[in-house]
Amino acid sequence: MSLFSICRRGALLLILLQVMFATYLHAFTNGKLWMDNSGKHINAHGGNVIKYNGKYYWYGENRPYVGFTTTVGVSVYSSDDLKTWTNEGVALSISNEEGSDIEAGCIMERPKVIYNKKTNKFVMLFHLELKGRGYEAARVAFAESDTPTGPFRFIRSTRINAGIWPFDMKKADRKAAMATDAGKWKDWWTPEWRKETEKGMYLWRDFEGGQMSRDMTVYVDEKGKAYHITSSQENLTLLVSELTDDYLDFTGKYNMIAPGGQNEAPTIMRHDGKYWLICSGCTGWAPNEARMFVSDKIWGPWKQVKSPFKGANATYKDFPASKTFGGQGTYILSVPETDDKGKTVTKYIFMADIWNPEHLSESLHIWLPINFDSEATPEIMWTDKVL
Ligand code: GAL
């Protein structure tokens, strides 16, 4: 065999190997790195996916390999089939301006983008912590763009519902909250402290300056009304707040879900007339048992039911269903599909992150299908591939 034909065969083999490798990389296997079209792990954590003009857009935290604070901003990727993702760059960038709410060193978390049909704008809400202040600022931030890939313009960051009581809080309960004094409790987690928190101690502490807002999601109903759901009151209580028609502010109507329940990472879907809210507990980056709530209305009353995670066949480090298979939820993606009979059925995908605190950029993604059991209650089991 001539040297030329050996080289040619070698080159062909190399191309074949490259194609096989690329196919392997793009195969979305839960518990493995998920590569974009350039072979890099998708750096979009704690985010969401929307569909616009037939294309999917995936937004998420762009996290550094080493370190913790935001050095880039919010990433965006696009896809036609939810499997092959093109890196579209930075949707919202940190600012170089000193003193800006989003200057390098801030922490941007859990970005969610929604499309506003009335204004024809893409609106991003995210959890923002200010530079050098750990997690104490606890703000929500707004940004807006004319196109799905951005660049988004930062608008402002704020605490929420300052000076306003939850709309359904009774007069006597408001009075009880006003009698609490958060400053006096040095020791947390005692039964006495718990009692005070249940009376609304942190709601009252933050009443004037505005309520805390950390882990969050947004939900847009069939009429285009949007709601912000967030972990507030030192992560003890979730708040649901209505957004204005342009999605750039709060109307002031809000109430509480599961006061004192310590729920984080809220995700929500509506199926067959019922709202289902799936959250995590509060253990930082470490996985814990998911919690689920059901209600006929977004304003409740919400009833806590069993965690939807079931089955034992997890393959990621053997994290069981009782530890959400190692993940923490970030969003429920609804994908309408046509079945064999031509009927449209919605497939729900529970999107979660398996956090890697040593290398946050390499935190893994898991997407699991949400099915419904014989009582029409959501259940989520491990599967290697959802798509
Ligand atoms: C988790 C939260 C994440 C991040 C992390 C920081 O509980 O869900 O979004 O804030 O804590 O420790």
Side-chain angles (χ1 to χ4, degrees):
M1 203 183 295
S2 71
L3 189 63
F4 173 72
S5 78
I6 291 176
C7 287
R8 211 173 63 161
R9 278 182 189 205
L12 281 175
L13 190 68
L14 208 67
I15 292 172
L16 187 71
L17 280 174
Q18 263 176 353
V19 170
M20 279 167 60
F21 191 54
T23 314
Y24 164 75
L25 288 179
H26 293 151
F28 270 31
T29 307
N30 284 323
K32 301 265 187 304
L33 291 172
W34 285 10
M35 304 305 175
D36 68 10
N37 67 332
S38 70
K40 292 206 183 97
H41 179 55
I42 294 176
N43 197 349
H45 307 283
N48 79 329
V49 171
I50 60 165
K51 193 174 187 186
Y52 177 73
N53 268 350
K55 233 187 169 74
Y56 292 98
Y57 295 91
W58 182 354
Y59 303 88
E61 299 158 19
N62 183 306
R63 287 288 193 166
Y65 184 70
V66 180
F68 184 69
T69 58
T70 303
T71 50
V72 176
V74 174
S75 313
V76 55
Y77 294 78
S78 70
S79 172
D80 292 322
D81 58 4
L82 290 172
K83 288 187 222 170
T84 314
W85 291 92
T86 303
N87 188 347
E88 299 281 358
V90 184
L92 173 70
S93 174
I94 52 157
S95 166
N96 293 323
E97 207 185 298
E98 209 181 303
S100 155
D101 285 2
I102 56 164
E103 72 180 304
C106 71
I107 305 170
M108 293 179 179
E109 286 187 351
R110 302 196 171 265
K112 304 288 176 295
V113 172
I114 45 180
Y115 172 63
N116 190 311
K117 282 191 192 142
K118 279 192 192 148
T119 60
N120 197 23
K121 304 262 191 226
F122 296 83
V123 177
M124 182 190 293
L125 278 81
F126 60 100
H127 166 202
L128 179 72
E129 294 297 345
L130 302 176
K131 183 182 173 184
R133 288 178 51 188
Y135 274 81
E136 75 169 38
R139 293 190 186 185
V140 63
F142 292 87
E144 193 183 47
S145 166
D146 298 324
T147 59
T149 50
F152 280 70
R153 294 176 295 279
F154 175 70
I155 299 176
R156 69 178 182 290
S157 74
T158 176
R159 282 278 180 102
I160 65 176
N161 302 315
I164 309 170
W165 291 104
F167 76 89
D168 55 356
M169 196 166 174
K170 297 197 182 76
K171 228 176 160 183
D173 294 337
R174 295 180 190 189
K175 254 182 112 179
M178 283 154 79
T180 62
D181 178 6
K184 145 176 153 196
W185 295 93
K186 301 277 167 294
D187 294 328
W188 285 33
W189 314 112
T190 63
E192 296 76 23
W193 172 89
R194 255 194 201 286
K195 260 206 190 123
E196 293 300 291
T197 65
E198 278 157 24
K199 288 185 196 159
M201 178 159 72
Y202 294 112
L203 175 71
W204 178 236
R205 181 196 67 184
D206 296 336
F207 190 76
E208 234 181 87
Q211 301 299 321
M212 303 174 99
S213 177
R214 291 199 182 119
D215 279 12
M216 51 140 281
T217 193
V218 283
Y219 178 76
V220 182
D221 73 11
E222 64 287 358
K223 291 189 190 128
K225 258 252 155 276
Y227 302 87
H228 170 251
I229 303 173
T230 193
S231 213
S232 188
Q233 298 173 17
E234 301 291 351
N235 296 342
L236 288 162
T237 299
L238 291 166
L239 302 184
V240 185
S241 309
E242 188 181 64
L243 297 179
T244 51
D245 285 351
D246 59 9
Y247 304 166
L248 295 176
D249 209 345
F250 294 91
T251 64
K253 181 172 181 182
Y254 80 103
N255 74 357
M256 301 188 267
I257 302 178
Q262 273 197 291
N263 294 292
E264 274 197 326
T267 65
I268 188 167
M269 67 174 175
R270 185 159 186 259
H271 176 74
D272 264 357
K274 281 194 188 325
Y275 288 93
W276 298 94
L277 182 68
I278 304 174
C279 306
S280 74
C282 298
T283 51
W285 303 117
N288 53 50
E289 179 154 37
R291 294 94 182 274
M292 184 160 71
F293 301 84
V294 60
S295 172
D296 293 334
K297 298 197 184 105
I298 194 106
W299 299 119
W302 292 89
K303 186 178 152 216
Q304 185 161 3
V305 293
K306 273 199 280 181
S307 157
F309 288 84
K310 285 186 188 159
N313 52 338
T315 57
Y316 180 74
K317 290 192 180 168
D318 285 334
F319 276 118
S322 61
K323 286 270 189 270
T324 317
F325 303 128
Q328 187 185 31
T330 179
Y331 195 65
I332 297 174
L333 170 64
S334 311
V335 187
E337 283 185 344
T338 314
D339 71 5
D340 324 337
K341 294 176 194 111
K343 222 178 94 191
T344 308
V345 281
T346 305
K347 183 164 154 181
Y348 299 95
I349 300 175
F350 184 80
M351 294 169 54
D353 299 275
I354 297 183
W355 297 111
N356 176 347
E358 258 93 73
H359 300 300
L360 277 174
S361 61
E362 297 218 328
S363 300
L364 302 173
H365 308 285
I366 42 175
W367 287 14
L368 299 172
I370 303 183
N371 294 309
F372 295 88
D373 68 11
S374 55
E375 274 151 34
T377 301
E379 58 178 21
I380 304 176
M381 297 199 214
W382 178 270
T383 166
D384 287 341
K385 278 181 195 192
V386 66
L387 298 162

